[in-house]
Amino acid sequence: MKVAISSDFFTALSKLPKAQLNKTIKLVEKFKNDPKSPGLNYEKLHFASNMHSIRVDQSYRCIVLSPDSGDVYILLWVDNHDDAYNWAKKHTCSINTETGSLQIIETQTSIKESNSTLSSKIENDKKAFFAEFSDKDLKSLGVDENLLEYIKQIDNEVELDNFRKYLPEEVYEALFYLLAGDSVEDAYNYVYSQKPYNVDTNDFTKALENESSKRRFYIVENDEELMQMLNAPLEKWRVFLHPSQRKLVEKDYNGAVKVLGGAGTGKTVAAMHRAKYLAKQLSFFENKKILFTTFTKNLSLDILENLKKICDEKTMQNIEVINLDSWVHNFLSKHGYKNEIVYDDKTKELWEKALVLKNNLLDLPDSFFKEEWQRVIQPLGINTLEEYIKASRIGRGTRLNRSQRKLIWEVFEEYRYLLSSRNYKEVDDAINDAINIINSSSDILKYSAIVVDEAQDFGMRAFKLLRTLVEEDKNDLFIVGDAHQRIYGHKVVLGQCGINVRGRSKKLKLNYRTTDEIRKWAVALFNGENIDDLDEGTDSNRDYKSLYNGPKPEVKNFETFNEEVKYIQHHIENIKKLDNESKICLVVRTQKLVDMYDDYFSKNNMKTIKISRNSKDDLSCTDVRISTMHRVKGLDFDHVIIACMNKGVVPLESIEKSDEDLINKENLQKEKSLVFVAATRAKRSLLVTSHGLASEMLSSVQYSVS
């Protein structure tokens, strides 16, 4: 017996009054345990094939698909009595003859009533873009026969987007690709995993196993997991994966896997489901866990909460979620580590003291030494002068002979001494110490597998630690990232860290979050620059597509701060008038600016929440968020405002300039990545503002997208 729930049911469930919501949850639990129970009060709907209703209470009903043959029961919709029955009258649920997927389609009558534009085109027999394709071609892409005449009247992206609500997602995507200029065959291959054979339109059990069906139907197998989902504020993406995501998640690999994906392509979602998939495979007697790690603490907290919503308690016991810095700190503390792990704010004074020893014979700026330390000494784990003399410095603009390296090393030795005298360790040194402890002990239990999110921000030592923490084996590492969003670390080549992903590099290409207009604006920040693929190649933006359209990003410059912030407040108020539940975030470059804008709003009676380093976002709150560009990493909002895009603010004027063009270029790219991250948090609209002199970035973007 198969019991399933449609994505439409989850949508309807989220809109129920609290009393009916609780009753429905109890009903679903009863339904799952015995869908044939007489206590469910089934009523046959004679106007809807294969559909029945079951009673929630006197006023509310669930709509259930229960085919005449087979033991398949699917919850389709829930609503008050009249609206539930009306939904059933307007929809059919059947197996597509070409793709074998289970589809919920609105009836012709319903579409005709609510789509006067296309209906008038049909009456006037007007030909449009899709009219050039045969019925056979369109049906091969999953278009239901009842929708053909409407599809053939669609002439552009706007009309297709307006018609989207009547289409299964995979059909919309296939038509989207056709409209973008792809062939029927390519459109099919982009969307569907393989062509089915001998489709049986009565075999609902087989239809539920179809990859496209899994995008909107969840097969209930576990009571605890089901109840967790029903009782949580569930976002559908957490359950319903795109076939391209599912293909990555539910596959066994012969080694490490690298997954690239632009902002909004569902990388983190895929990573979470991968962790769940691997955790479920762990033996009860196997004393190992899956490690899920990412770069920042607030993102790891968010991932932990979301994993709890898709995993039952037993599965969660097999997954450890922690950002890598915290893991290193906890591990070293357990092993009696007495050193304090320090960051830039505590090392600045030490560098100043070490540089006093700089030899006058060296014609090198002070900035060179810190850059050499960060880009050569630490990543390569160099501890002696001999190692430094032999070290490769490919990518560094300044050539150094043996004598120069000896003189430079004197500064590094002094810096190391100063760190040691204060019992300080930089992060990379602490990671090295962790690696040495692991390698010197056979008692340290390693992980069964490791899932890495936001991989672009990890350095070489971090990846070498991860390589040490899991044996090189099947399904050992699942690495997810996007170098367009590199806002912390430097470029890393996985192969140089002992992680071989050759032949196992994958890519997620469909953007589910950001409109195409916002995506194009954000991508234009890089002006066609080559972006690395986390290994030895480049990542092309041409592969990525957004399946949503919306207004173009609005870019405004004002003479003064007051003029800018008044416009922003008016913009927010207009959004709230249309939809008070909208999630809005104002993003700025620095924490000082967060405080400045927050102070203005609080004085003008606008409720705000500042997103902090170690906090997770409260999704139930509708107050306006204010955040730095760094802190919005991994989050998303309906509307984003990037404020104070001023000259000297973005890029930040205080960033230390280098004598090496390559370093300056990398620093500028990080600033562009910050704006890219901020812009691609937006789902529906993007406003970019500045006052006084605007950032040079804005003129280059406007030119690129105009």
Side-chain angles (χ1 to χ4, degrees), residues 331-531:
F331 176 82
L332 291 173
S333 297
K334 287 178 185 175
H335 288 81
Y337 202 70
K338 302 299 183 184
N339 299 90
E340 180 185 353
I341 301 173
V342 294
Y343 300 84
D344 286 349
D345 56 336
K346 286 197 175 183
T347 60
K348 187 177 179 183
E349 179 193 349
L350 306 189
W351 274 113
E352 289 172 356
K353 290 182 177 181
L355 285 165
V356 172
L357 296 185
K358 185 177 75 171
N359 195 295
N360 292 329
L361 295 173
L362 290 170
D363 186 22
L364 295 169
D366 289 355
S367 62
F368 168 87
F369 290 83
K370 192 173 182 180
E371 289 159 2
E372 186 80 353
W373 179 265
Q374 292 176 340
R375 295 167 184 271
V376 179
I377 306 300
Q378 292 291 67
L380 298 179
I382 295 171
N383 293 302
T384 66
L385 172 60
E386 289 72 25
E387 289 173 346
Y388 183 45
I389 289 171
K390 295 176 184 176
S392 169
R393 299 177 63 258
I394 294 173
R396 298 284 286 144
T398 306
R399 290 174 175 262
L400 299 175
N401 58 37
R402 187 183 181 93
S403 302
Q404 287 172 313
R405 295 194 192 201
K406 284 183 177 179
L407 295 174
I408 291 167
W409 188 253
E410 292 175 7
V411 175
F412 293 157
E413 262 191 333
E414 178 65 13
Y415 179 64
R416 274 234 168 96
Y417 167 76
L418 291 168
L419 285 169
S420 178
S421 66
R422 288 159 175 77
N423 222 27
Y424 288 170
K425 287 275 187 167
E426 287 191 345
V427 174
D428 277 356
D429 284 327
I431 289 175
N432 278 335
D433 291 340
I435 292 172
N436 291 333
I437 292 171
I438 295 164
N439 287 334
S440 63
S441 176
S442 58
D443 298 330
I444 294 172
L445 194 67
K446 295 188 178 182
Y447 292 95
S448 174
I450 298 176
V451 177
V452 184
D453 193 27
E454 303 292 355
Q456 72 280 348
D457 288 322
F458 286 71
M460 284 190 68
R461 304 314 298 171
F463 277 115
K464 287 187 177 183
L465 171 62
L466 294 171
R467 177 70 284 170
T468 308
L469 284 173
V470 62
E471 301 291 348
E472 197 167 351
D473 202 356
K474 185 176 81 171
N475 298 329
D476 54 352
L477 283 157
F478 191 82
I479 300 165
V480 172
D482 174 21
H484 294 84
Q485 301 182 64
R486 182 180 289 120
I487 61 176
Y488 293 107
H490 305 298
K491 182 179 176 181
V492 167
V493 178
L494 291 173
Q496 295 176 3
C497 304
I499 300 172
N500 178 18
V501 293
R502 287 193 297 271
R504 295 184 298 277
S505 293
K506 311 296 179 182
K507 199 166 186 178
L508 291 169
K509 301 175 182 178
L510 295 177
N511 186 316
Y512 306 101
R513 178 201 302 144
T514 305
T515 66
D516 203 47
E517 289 77 9
I518 294 172
R519 183 190 66 81
K520 285 177 178 174
W521 189 93
V523 167
L525 287 161
F526 298 100
N527 293 320
E529 299 167 22
N530 286 331
I531 305 297

